[in-house]
Amino acid sequence: MKYYVYLVVAILGLHGCSPKMHTESGEVNFLSKESQAVFLVKSMGYGKNRVEAVANAEKNAFRVLLFRGLPGSDVPLPLVENEAHTRSVHATYLRHFFAGNRYRSFLMSSKESSKLTKIPGGKRIAVDLKINHHSLRRDLEENQVIRKFGY
Amino acid sequence: MKSSIYSSIYFLWIVSWSLTAGAQGTSGVEAAEVQTVQPKIMVIPFTKEGEDLRFVLEEDINRRIAITKIKEAFDSRSFTTVDFIARLKVAKDNNLFMTDNQTDIKSQIIQMSGADIYVQAEIDDQNGQSGRSVTVLLTGYEASTGNSLSNKVGNSGTFFTDDIGKLTSKAVERIAEDFLNVLQVKFTEIVNNGKSVMVDVGFDLGSPYSMASEVGDEGLPLSDQLEIWMEENAFKNNYHIQGTTDSKMIFDDVRIPLKDPVTGNNYNPNKFALEIFMFLRKIGLKPSKDIKGNTIFITIN
C-alpha cells in the first residue's frame, strides 16, 4: 500500500514537471493577397493532437488580426484599438467568437501545410488560412467592438 | 416568515430588474438619437505647376481612375465622399472661379465643397527597357489646419504594357486599405483627444483695449484672462499658444470635444466660439465673432 502511494505521488510529480504548452502564439505570417477582401496567411498551431493543433492555429491567426496586426497585409495594425478594454467590455462577443467557433464563418479555407510534428508537451502543425478580413471588420463594426470608419 | 423572505427577494429582484432595464433603455435612446457628425472627405488630383485643375481630369483618364479607385476604398468602408468632379462641374457651370491662379482655384474648390479632409492623389508613370510602372502618392490633409493625416506611396510593379489605367488601379489597390487604416487611427485620436481649432483674438481699430488691459473682477490682463479660460475649457486642457502681442493673441491648436460632455449632443467650433463670446461679454467687453471652417476669429470692439 505504502509503495502504491509513493508511485502515485511520483507519477503526479513527474506530470507536474512535464513542459507546459502555450497554445497562444504570434507565429502568423502573411502570404499573399487574394483580392481586396481576402488574404492568405500561414499560422502555427499547438495542441495535444491534430484537431486541437489545427483549431489553435486558426484561432491564433484571428487573435493576431484582432490584437496585434499582421505586417505586410492590409491589416498591419490591430483591428481592435484597445485589447484590455475590448477583452473586458466585449467578453461575450469574444467568447462566442473563439470558444463558440464563430471565427470559422470568416475562414474561406483551412489547409494543413506541414506534417504534424511532435514537440515537448504536444504536437505542432502549420496551417494555411484564407481569411475574409473585410467581412470580419464589418462584423466587428456591427457589433460595436470597433468603431466604423470616421469619427 | 419564510414567505415574507421570498416576497422580499422577489420585490428586490423586480426593482433591480426595472432599474437595469430603465438604464439600458435610456442609454439606448441617447445612442440612437445623437448621430456623430462625420467629416466630409474629398479626393482631388495633384496638379503640377501651371496645370489647370479644371481641365486636368477631363484630359487624363488615369487620374480619374486613381480618384475612382480611392473613392471605391472609402465606399468599401461604408463612407461616402464628396465628389470632386461633380463639385468642379457645378463651379464651372456657375462660373464661380474668381481667378486664374491655380493655387487659388484649388483652395476655392476645397472651400466651396465644405470638405474637412481632402485626399490628394499624384500619379507618376515610368517607362523603361524593363517595362512600365506607375507610382501613386496619396496624401490626406485636414483642410483647415493643413495637418497631414495619412501618407502612402504605392507602386504597381513593372509590366510590359501600355495600359497605364490598369497599372494605376493596381498601385492604388496596394495601398488604399492601409491609407484608410492610418486615417482611421487619426480619427480615433481626434475622438479621444478632441478636434483641433484655431482661435485668433484681435481688436477692432477703434478699440480702447489691448491684451495688457486689466479687465474683469480680478483686474487681470486680458491675455491672462483668456489663457485661464482656455485652460478650463479646452478639451482635456489641451491648447497651444502660438504667440501674444499687445494687439493679438493666437491659440493655434485648441482641442474641442466632438460631443458636448454635458448634453451628449454634437459640438462644433461655432458652439465653442459662442462660449468665448459669452465669457468676454461677462468680463465687460464687446466682442464679435467670425468662424471660417475650424478657425475662430474674435474681434474686441
Side-chain angles (χ1 to χ4, degrees), chain A residues 27-32 34 38-45 54-62 65 70 103-104 106-113 126-132:
Chain A
E27 293 167 85
V28 181
N29 290 285
F30 173 71
L31 292 178
S32 64
E34 295 272 307
V38 180
F39 56 54
L40 198 67
V41 300
K42 186 183 282 297
S43 178
M44 202 63 86
V54 169
N56 282 333
E58 292 170 354
K59 286 177 189 175
N60 275 336
F62 283 96
L65 275 180
L70 195 57
Y103 71 88
R104 290 196 64 87
F106 307 102
L107 210 50
M108 296 176 74
S109 76
S110 171
K111 224 192 276 177
E112 292 170 21
S113 58
V127 182
D128 287 354
L129 305 165
K130 209 188 262 188
I131 297 173
N132 184 348

mmCIF file of all heavy atoms in Angstrom, chain A residues 27-32 34 38-45 54-62 65 70 103-104 106-113 126-132:
data_model
loop_
_atom_site.group_PDB
_atom_site.id
_atom_site.type_symbol
_atom_site.label_atom_id
_atom_site.label_comp_id
_atom_site.label_asym_id
_atom_site.label_seq_id
_atom_site.Cartn_x
_atom_site.Cartn_y
_atom_site.Cartn_z
ATOM 1 N N GLU A 27 2.891 33.264 -34.116
ATOM 2 C CA GLU A 27 3.535 32.742 -35.335
ATOM 3 C C GLU A 27 2.531 32.701 -36.488
ATOM 4 O O GLU A 27 2.086 31.640 -36.908
ATOM 5 C CB GLU A 27 4.080 31.337 -35.069
ATOM 6 C CG GLU A 27 5.232 31.327 -34.087
ATOM 7 C CD GLU A 27 5.534 29.930 -33.604
ATOM 8 O OE1 GLU A 27 6.279 29.216 -34.275
ATOM 9 O OE2 GLU A 27 4.991 29.536 -32.561
ATOM 10 N N VAL A 28 2.192 33.893 -36.939
ATOM 11 C CA VAL A 28 1.247 34.025 -38.055
ATOM 12 C C VAL A 28 1.910 34.925 -39.095
ATOM 13 O O VAL A 28 2.351 36.026 -38.759
ATOM 14 C CB VAL A 28 -0.089 34.648 -37.579
ATOM 15 C CG1 VAL A 28 -1.066 34.770 -38.735
ATOM 16 C CG2 VAL A 28 -0.697 33.836 -36.457
ATOM 17 N N ASN A 29 2.046 34.457 -40.303
ATOM 18 C CA ASN A 29 2.729 35.232 -41.336
ATOM 19 C C ASN A 29 1.862 35.415 -42.572
ATOM 20 O O ASN A 29 1.213 34.471 -43.021
ATOM 21 C CB ASN A 29 4.031 34.547 -41.735
ATOM 22 C CG ASN A 29 5.039 34.631 -40.613
ATOM 23 O OD1 ASN A 29 5.623 35.673 -40.373
ATOM 24 N ND2 ASN A 29 5.198 33.547 -39.874
ATOM 25 N N PHE A 30 1.905 36.652 -43.079
ATOM 26 C CA PHE A 30 1.126 36.988 -44.282
ATOM 27 C C PHE A 30 1.772 36.315 -45.499
ATOM 28 O O PHE A 30 2.987 36.390 -45.686
ATOM 29 C CB PHE A 30 1.113 38.506 -44.444
ATOM 30 C CG PHE A 30 0.496 38.991 -45.709
ATOM 31 C CD1 PHE A 30 -0.869 38.906 -45.909
ATOM 32 C CD2 PHE A 30 1.275 39.526 -46.717
ATOM 33 C CE1 PHE A 30 -1.444 39.356 -47.087
ATOM 34 C CE2 PHE A 30 0.715 39.981 -47.897
ATOM 35 C CZ PHE A 30 -0.648 39.892 -48.076
ATOM 36 N N LEU A 31 0.962 35.666 -46.318
ATOM 37 C CA LEU A 31 1.496 35.015 -47.519
ATOM 38 C C LEU A 31 1.176 35.810 -48.780
ATOM 39 O O LEU A 31 2.060 36.208 -49.509
ATOM 40 C CB LEU A 31 0.924 33.595 -47.656
ATOM 41 C CG LEU A 31 1.367 32.563 -46.615
ATOM 42 C CD1 LEU A 31 0.680 31.237 -46.865
ATOM 43 C CD2 LEU A 31 2.874 32.380 -46.629
ATOM 44 N N SER A 32 -0.098 36.049 -49.038
ATOM 45 C CA SER A 32 -0.472 36.799 -50.247
ATOM 46 C C SER A 32 -1.875 37.374 -50.122
ATOM 47 O O SER A 32 -2.647 36.984 -49.248
ATOM 48 C CB SER A 32 -0.416 35.887 -51.471
ATOM 49 O OG SER A 32 -1.378 34.858 -51.327
ATOM 50 N N GLU A 34 -5.349 37.723 -51.932
ATOM 51 C CA GLU A 34 -6.140 37.052 -52.981
ATOM 52 C C GLU A 34 -6.998 38.055 -53.753
ATOM 53 O O GLU A 34 -7.128 37.980 -54.950
ATOM 54 C CB GLU A 34 -7.051 36.008 -52.351
ATOM 55 C CG GLU A 34 -6.301 34.865 -51.702
ATOM 56 C CD GLU A 34 -6.003 33.746 -52.676
ATOM 57 O OE1 GLU A 34 -6.944 33.275 -53.309
ATOM 58 O OE2 GLU A 34 -4.827 33.356 -52.784
ATOM 59 N N VAL A 38 -9.807 39.502 -49.316
ATOM 60 C CA VAL A 38 -9.335 38.195 -48.823
ATOM 61 C C VAL A 38 -7.812 38.109 -48.862
ATOM 62 O O VAL A 38 -7.191 38.548 -49.828
ATOM 63 C CB VAL A 38 -9.924 37.053 -49.698
ATOM 64 C CG1 VAL A 38 -9.454 35.690 -49.214
ATOM 65 C CG2 VAL A 38 -11.441 37.109 -49.694
ATOM 66 N N PHE A 39 -7.204 37.567 -47.797
ATOM 67 C CA PHE A 39 -5.776 37.253 -47.881
ATOM 68 C C PHE A 39 -5.463 35.892 -47.288
ATOM 69 O O PHE A 39 -6.286 35.290 -46.584
ATOM 70 C CB PHE A 39 -4.883 38.365 -47.319
ATOM 71 C CG PHE A 39 -5.148 38.794 -45.907
ATOM 72 C CD1 PHE A 39 -5.173 37.904 -44.865
ATOM 73 C CD2 PHE A 39 -5.323 40.151 -45.625
ATOM 74 C CE1 PHE A 39 -5.379 38.321 -43.576
ATOM 75 C CE2 PHE A 39 -5.539 40.583 -44.325
ATOM 76 C CZ PHE A 39 -5.562 39.653 -43.307
ATOM 77 N N LEU A 40 -4.245 35.436 -47.635
ATOM 78 C CA LEU A 40 -3.804 34.104 -47.236
ATOM 79 C C LEU A 40 -2.706 34.256 -46.181
ATOM 80 O O LEU A 40 -1.775 35.037 -46.377
ATOM 81 C CB LEU A 40 -3.249 33.413 -48.484
ATOM 82 C CG LEU A 40 -3.110 31.900 -48.466
ATOM 83 C CD1 LEU A 40 -4.461 31.231 -48.427
ATOM 84 C CD2 LEU A 40 -2.365 31.449 -49.737
ATOM 85 N N VAL A 41 -2.819 33.513 -45.082
ATOM 86 C CA VAL A 41 -1.787 33.569 -44.034
ATOM 87 C C VAL A 41 -1.362 32.155 -43.654
ATOM 88 O O VAL A 41 -2.115 31.192 -43.846
ATOM 89 C CB VAL A 41 -2.280 34.307 -42.755
ATOM 90 C CG1 VAL A 41 -2.673 35.726 -43.041
ATOM 91 C CG2 VAL A 41 -3.420 33.574 -42.072
ATOM 92 N N LYS A 42 -0.143 32.068 -43.124
ATOM 93 C CA LYS A 42 0.319 30.780 -42.587
ATOM 94 C C LYS A 42 0.359 30.931 -41.073
ATOM 95 O O LYS A 42 0.969 31.866 -40.555
ATOM 96 C CB LYS A 42 1.716 30.442 -43.130
ATOM 97 C CG LYS A 42 2.187 29.043 -42.722
ATOM 98 C CD LYS A 42 3.590 28.766 -43.204
ATOM 99 C CE LYS A 42 3.671 28.423 -44.660
ATOM 100 N NZ LYS A 42 2.965 27.204 -45.048
ATOM 101 N N SER A 43 -0.303 30.007 -40.392
ATOM 102 C CA SER A 43 -0.365 30.109 -38.939
ATOM 103 C C SER A 43 0.092 28.800 -38.296
ATOM 104 O O SER A 43 -0.210 27.712 -38.787
ATOM 105 C CB SER A 43 -1.809 30.424 -38.528
ATOM 106 O OG SER A 43 -1.916 30.475 -37.139
ATOM 107 N N MET A 44 0.822 28.932 -37.194
ATOM 108 C CA MET A 44 1.318 27.755 -36.487
ATOM 109 C C MET A 44 0.374 27.455 -35.317
ATOM 110 O O MET A 44 -0.030 28.368 -34.600
ATOM 111 C CB MET A 44 2.730 28.075 -35.972
ATOM 112 C CG MET A 44 3.573 26.884 -35.690
ATOM 113 S SD MET A 44 3.892 25.913 -37.167
ATOM 114 C CE MET A 44 5.318 26.752 -37.800
ATOM 115 N N GLY A 45 0.057 26.179 -35.155
ATOM 116 C CA GLY A 45 -0.837 25.799 -34.068
ATOM 117 C C GLY A 45 -0.245 24.706 -33.200
ATOM 118 O O GLY A 45 0.478 23.837 -33.690
ATOM 119 N N VAL A 54 -4.748 22.231 -35.105
ATOM 120 C CA VAL A 54 -5.308 22.975 -36.242
ATOM 121 C C VAL A 54 -6.249 24.077 -35.748
ATOM 122 O O VAL A 54 -6.181 25.228 -36.211
ATOM 123 C CB VAL A 54 -6.043 22.012 -37.226
ATOM 124 C CG1 VAL A 54 -6.844 22.795 -38.255
ATOM 125 C CG2 VAL A 54 -5.050 21.088 -37.918
ATOM 126 N N ALA A 55 -7.101 23.739 -34.782
ATOM 127 C CA ALA A 55 -8.041 24.734 -34.241
ATOM 128 C C ALA A 55 -7.277 25.893 -33.613
ATOM 129 O O ALA A 55 -7.643 27.070 -33.787
ATOM 130 C CB ALA A 55 -8.957 24.073 -33.215
ATOM 131 N N ASN A 56 -6.191 25.574 -32.897
ATOM 132 C CA ASN A 56 -5.409 26.642 -32.270
ATOM 133 C C ASN A 56 -4.686 27.500 -33.307
ATOM 134 O O ASN A 56 -4.521 28.704 -33.104
ATOM 135 C CB ASN A 56 -4.399 26.062 -31.273
ATOM 136 C CG ASN A 56 -5.090 25.678 -29.971
ATOM 137 O OD1 ASN A 56 -6.116 26.259 -29.613
ATOM 138 N ND2 ASN A 56 -4.553 24.686 -29.284
ATOM 139 N N ALA A 57 -4.264 26.882 -34.406
ATOM 140 C CA ALA A 57 -3.623 27.650 -35.484
ATOM 141 C C ALA A 57 -4.632 28.658 -36.054
ATOM 142 O O ALA A 57 -4.301 29.826 -36.296
ATOM 143 C CB ALA A 57 -3.150 26.708 -36.590
ATOM 144 N N GLU A 58 -5.852 28.210 -36.249
ATOM 145 C CA GLU A 58 -6.901 29.092 -36.793
ATOM 146 C C GLU A 58 -7.199 30.234 -35.809
ATOM 147 O O GLU A 58 -7.277 31.394 -36.200
ATOM 148 C CB GLU A 58 -8.171 28.284 -37.056
ATOM 149 C CG GLU A 58 -8.013 27.284 -38.192
ATOM 150 C CD GLU A 58 -9.171 26.308 -38.330
ATOM 151 O OE1 GLU A 58 -10.079 26.313 -37.474
ATOM 152 O OE2 GLU A 58 -9.155 25.512 -39.289
ATOM 153 N N LYS A 59 -7.344 29.858 -34.530
ATOM 154 C CA LYS A 59 -7.650 30.882 -33.516
ATOM 155 C C LYS A 59 -6.500 31.881 -33.386
ATOM 156 O O LYS A 59 -6.728 33.076 -33.213
ATOM 157 C CB LYS A 59 -7.940 30.220 -32.166
ATOM 158 C CG LYS A 59 -9.294 29.544 -32.136
ATOM 159 C CD LYS A 59 -9.528 28.828 -30.833
ATOM 160 C CE LYS A 59 -10.794 27.997 -30.932
ATOM 161 N NZ LYS A 59 -11.025 27.169 -29.750
ATOM 162 N N ASN A 60 -5.257 31.382 -33.476
ATOM 163 C CA ASN A 60 -4.084 32.273 -33.379
ATOM 164 C C ASN A 60 -4.096 33.319 -34.474
ATOM 165 O O ASN A 60 -3.774 34.486 -34.238
ATOM 166 C CB ASN A 60 -2.786 31.468 -33.490
ATOM 167 C CG ASN A 60 -2.381 30.904 -32.146
ATOM 168 O OD1 ASN A 60 -2.759 31.435 -31.106
ATOM 169 N ND2 ASN A 60 -1.625 29.828 -32.158
ATOM 170 N N ALA A 61 -4.456 32.891 -35.685
ATOM 171 C CA ALA A 61 -4.486 33.825 -36.816
ATOM 172 C C ALA A 61 -5.468 34.962 -36.525
ATOM 173 O O ALA A 61 -5.162 36.136 -36.764
ATOM 174 C CB ALA A 61 -4.891 33.086 -38.085
ATOM 175 N N PHE A 62 -6.630 34.638 -35.994
ATOM 176 C CA PHE A 62 -7.634 35.673 -35.694
ATOM 177 C C PHE A 62 -7.215 36.537 -34.505
ATOM 178 O O PHE A 62 -7.477 37.741 -34.495
ATOM 179 C CB PHE A 62 -9.010 35.031 -35.465
ATOM 180 C CG PHE A 62 -9.654 34.631 -36.755
ATOM 181 C CD1 PHE A 62 -9.549 33.337 -37.230
ATOM 182 C CD2 PHE A 62 -10.330 35.566 -37.530
ATOM 183 C CE1 PHE A 62 -10.113 32.973 -38.444
ATOM 184 C CE2 PHE A 62 -10.905 35.216 -38.745
ATOM 185 C CZ PHE A 62 -10.797 33.911 -39.207
ATOM 186 N N LEU A 65 -4.803 39.042 -35.843
ATOM 187 C CA LEU A 65 -5.503 40.080 -36.608
ATOM 188 C C LEU A 65 -6.208 41.073 -35.687
ATOM 189 O O LEU A 65 -6.160 42.276 -35.906
ATOM 190 C CB LEU A 65 -6.562 39.452 -37.508
ATOM 191 C CG LEU A 65 -6.119 38.934 -38.866
ATOM 192 C CD1 LEU A 65 -7.297 38.343 -39.600
ATOM 193 C CD2 LEU A 65 -5.529 40.060 -39.689
ATOM 194 N N LEU A 70 -1.135 42.365 -38.670
ATOM 195 C CA LEU A 70 -0.357 41.439 -39.482
ATOM 196 C C LEU A 70 0.497 42.227 -40.483
ATOM 197 O O LEU A 70 0.006 42.682 -41.510
ATOM 198 C CB LEU A 70 -1.320 40.498 -40.210
ATOM 199 C CG LEU A 70 -0.751 39.244 -40.834
ATOM 200 C CD1 LEU A 70 -0.035 38.384 -39.806
ATOM 201 C CD2 LEU A 70 -1.862 38.441 -41.486
ATOM 202 N N TYR A 103 -15.505 32.359 -35.375
ATOM 203 C CA TYR A 103 -14.423 32.823 -36.255
ATOM 204 C C TYR A 103 -14.389 32.032 -37.567
ATOM 205 O O TYR A 103 -13.955 32.531 -38.598
ATOM 206 C CB TYR A 103 -13.061 32.716 -35.534
ATOM 207 C CG TYR A 103 -12.567 31.297 -35.347
ATOM 208 C CD1 TYR A 103 -11.815 30.669 -36.329
ATOM 209 C CD2 TYR A 103 -12.871 30.562 -34.204
ATOM 210 C CE1 TYR A 103 -11.370 29.365 -36.186
ATOM 211 C CE2 TYR A 103 -12.437 29.262 -34.047
ATOM 212 C CZ TYR A 103 -11.693 28.665 -35.044
ATOM 213 O OH TYR A 103 -11.259 27.373 -34.913
ATOM 214 N N ARG A 104 -14.904 30.798 -37.531
ATOM 215 C CA ARG A 104 -14.856 29.953 -38.727
ATOM 216 C C ARG A 104 -15.696 30.512 -39.884
ATOM 217 O O ARG A 104 -15.467 30.175 -41.033
ATOM 218 C CB ARG A 104 -15.309 28.529 -38.390
ATOM 219 C CG ARG A 104 -14.316 27.779 -37.512
ATOM 220 C CD ARG A 104 -14.589 26.298 -37.530
ATOM 221 N NE ARG A 104 -14.401 25.728 -38.857
ATOM 222 C CZ ARG A 104 -13.249 25.286 -39.340
ATOM 223 N NH1 ARG A 104 -12.173 25.345 -38.593
ATOM 224 N NH2 ARG A 104 -13.164 24.780 -40.546
ATOM 225 N N PHE A 106 -15.531 33.393 -40.964
ATOM 226 C CA PHE A 106 -14.701 34.328 -41.735
ATOM 227 C C PHE A 106 -13.528 33.611 -42.404
ATOM 228 O O PHE A 106 -12.655 34.235 -42.984
ATOM 229 C CB PHE A 106 -14.173 35.451 -40.827
ATOM 230 C CG PHE A 106 -15.264 36.129 -40.073
ATOM 231 C CD1 PHE A 106 -15.490 35.837 -38.732
ATOM 232 C CD2 PHE A 106 -16.118 37.021 -40.706
ATOM 233 C CE1 PHE A 106 -16.518 36.435 -38.046
ATOM 234 C CE2 PHE A 106 -17.148 37.618 -40.025
ATOM 235 C CZ PHE A 106 -17.361 37.327 -38.695
ATOM 236 N N LEU A 107 -13.541 32.311 -42.272
ATOM 237 C CA LEU A 107 -12.476 31.476 -42.809
ATOM 238 C C LEU A 107 -12.963 30.857 -44.121
ATOM 239 O O LEU A 107 -13.931 30.104 -44.139
ATOM 240 C CB LEU A 107 -12.207 30.371 -41.776
ATOM 241 C CG LEU A 107 -10.810 29.785 -41.665
ATOM 242 C CD1 LEU A 107 -9.760 30.866 -41.550
ATOM 243 C CD2 LEU A 107 -10.756 28.886 -40.443
ATOM 244 N N MET A 108 -12.272 31.171 -45.219
ATOM 245 C CA MET A 108 -12.733 30.649 -46.508
ATOM 246 C C MET A 108 -12.118 29.290 -46.816
ATOM 247 O O MET A 108 -12.701 28.494 -47.530
ATOM 248 C CB MET A 108 -12.434 31.653 -47.616
ATOM 249 C CG MET A 108 -13.212 32.944 -47.393
ATOM 250 S SD MET A 108 -12.812 34.188 -48.580
ATOM 251 C CE MET A 108 -13.642 33.540 -50.004
ATOM 252 N N SER A 109 -10.910 29.066 -46.302
ATOM 253 C CA SER A 109 -10.334 27.726 -46.413
ATOM 254 C C SER A 109 -9.250 27.552 -45.365
ATOM 255 O O SER A 109 -8.665 28.528 -44.886
ATOM 256 C CB SER A 109 -9.767 27.478 -47.806
ATOM 257 O OG SER A 109 -8.534 28.148 -47.955
ATOM 258 N N SER A 110 -9.034 26.306 -44.974
ATOM 259 C CA SER A 110 -8.020 25.985 -43.963
ATOM 260 C C SER A 110 -7.323 24.707 -44.430
ATOM 261 O O SER A 110 -7.944 23.655 -44.519
ATOM 262 C CB SER A 110 -8.725 25.782 -42.616
ATOM 263 O OG SER A 110 -7.830 25.287 -41.672
ATOM 264 N N LYS A 111 -6.014 24.856 -44.777
ATOM 265 C CA LYS A 111 -5.293 23.723 -45.351
ATOM 266 C C LYS A 111 -4.016 23.468 -44.557
ATOM 267 O O LYS A 111 -3.227 24.403 -44.348
ATOM 268 C CB LYS A 111 -4.933 24.055 -46.813
ATOM 269 C CG LYS A 111 -5.193 22.904 -47.763
ATOM 270 C CD LYS A 111 -4.570 23.172 -49.097
ATOM 271 C CE LYS A 111 -5.419 24.016 -50.009
ATOM 272 N NZ LYS A 111 -4.780 24.338 -51.268
ATOM 273 N N GLU A 112 -3.813 22.229 -44.127
ATOM 274 C CA GLU A 112 -2.583 21.903 -43.394
ATOM 275 C C GLU A 112 -1.405 22.010 -44.355
ATOM 276 O O GLU A 112 -1.435 21.435 -45.440
ATOM 277 C CB GLU A 112 -2.674 20.497 -42.819
ATOM 278 C CG GLU A 112 -3.722 20.401 -41.725
ATOM 279 C CD GLU A 112 -4.012 18.977 -41.309
ATOM 280 O OE1 GLU A 112 -3.164 18.100 -41.550
ATOM 281 O OE2 GLU A 112 -5.092 18.744 -40.749
ATOM 282 N N SER A 113 -0.367 22.754 -43.955
ATOM 283 C CA SER A 113 0.762 22.941 -44.873
ATOM 284 C C SER A 113 2.059 22.335 -44.338
ATOM 285 O O SER A 113 3.123 22.553 -44.901
ATOM 286 C CB SER A 113 0.960 24.420 -45.181
ATOM 287 O OG SER A 113 1.173 25.123 -43.993
ATOM 288 N N ALA A 126 1.528 23.500 -39.097
ATOM 289 C CA ALA A 126 1.356 24.782 -39.805
ATOM 290 C C ALA A 126 0.124 24.658 -40.697
ATOM 291 O O ALA A 126 -0.082 23.634 -41.351
ATOM 292 C CB ALA A 126 2.577 25.090 -40.649
ATOM 293 N N VAL A 127 -0.691 25.720 -40.698
ATOM 294 C CA VAL A 127 -1.934 25.697 -41.476
ATOM 295 C C VAL A 127 -2.006 26.959 -42.337
ATOM 296 O O VAL A 127 -1.713 28.057 -41.865
ATOM 297 C CB VAL A 127 -3.162 25.629 -40.529
ATOM 298 C CG1 VAL A 127 -4.451 25.547 -41.324
ATOM 299 C CG2 VAL A 127 -3.050 24.457 -39.587
ATOM 300 N N ASP A 128 -2.354 26.796 -43.614
ATOM 301 C CA ASP A 128 -2.568 27.955 -44.495
ATOM 302 C C ASP A 128 -4.053 28.317 -44.471
ATOM 303 O O ASP A 128 -4.904 27.467 -44.752
ATOM 304 C CB ASP A 128 -2.132 27.630 -45.928
ATOM 305 C CG ASP A 128 -0.620 27.583 -46.055
ATOM 306 O OD1 ASP A 128 0.062 27.923 -45.064
ATOM 307 O OD2 ASP A 128 -0.114 27.199 -47.131
ATOM 308 N N LEU A 129 -4.314 29.587 -44.147
ATOM 309 C CA LEU A 129 -5.712 30.003 -43.974
ATOM 310 C C LEU A 129 -6.061 31.135 -44.932
ATOM 311 O O LEU A 129 -5.259 32.063 -45.127
ATOM 312 C CB LEU A 129 -5.933 30.506 -42.547
ATOM 313 C CG LEU A 129 -5.557 29.562 -41.415
ATOM 314 C CD1 LEU A 129 -5.473 30.314 -40.109
ATOM 315 C CD2 LEU A 129 -6.581 28.441 -41.314
ATOM 316 N N LYS A 130 -7.248 31.047 -45.497
ATOM 317 C CA LYS A 130 -7.742 32.122 -46.356
ATOM 318 C C LYS A 130 -8.798 32.872 -45.542
ATOM 319 O O LYS A 130 -9.826 32.281 -45.168
ATOM 320 C CB LYS A 130 -8.359 31.513 -47.617
ATOM 321 C CG LYS A 130 -8.276 32.420 -48.826
ATOM 322 C CD LYS A 130 -9.064 31.864 -49.953
ATOM 323 C CE LYS A 130 -8.215 31.101 -50.938
ATOM 324 N NZ LYS A 130 -9.013 30.731 -52.134
ATOM 325 N N ILE A 131 -8.526 34.136 -45.246
ATOM 326 C CA ILE A 131 -9.411 34.883 -44.340
ATOM 327 C C ILE A 131 -10.113 36.030 -45.062
ATOM 328 O O ILE A 131 -9.475 36.810 -45.777
ATOM 329 C CB ILE A 131 -8.598 35.435 -43.143
ATOM 330 C CG1 ILE A 131 -8.031 34.266 -42.328
ATOM 331 C CG2 ILE A 131 -9.439 36.341 -42.259
ATOM 332 C CD1 ILE A 131 -7.078 34.664 -41.241
ATOM 333 N N ASN A 132 -11.410 36.135 -44.849
ATOM 334 C CA ASN A 132 -12.189 37.247 -45.398
ATOM 335 C C ASN A 132 -12.152 38.384 -44.372
ATOM 336 O O ASN A 132 -13.012 38.481 -43.496
ATOM 337 C CB ASN A 132 -13.624 36.776 -45.667
ATOM 338 C CG ASN A 132 -14.456 37.846 -46.327
ATOM 339 O OD1 ASN A 132 -14.061 39.003 -46.394
ATOM 340 N ND2 ASN A 132 -15.621 37.456 -46.811
#
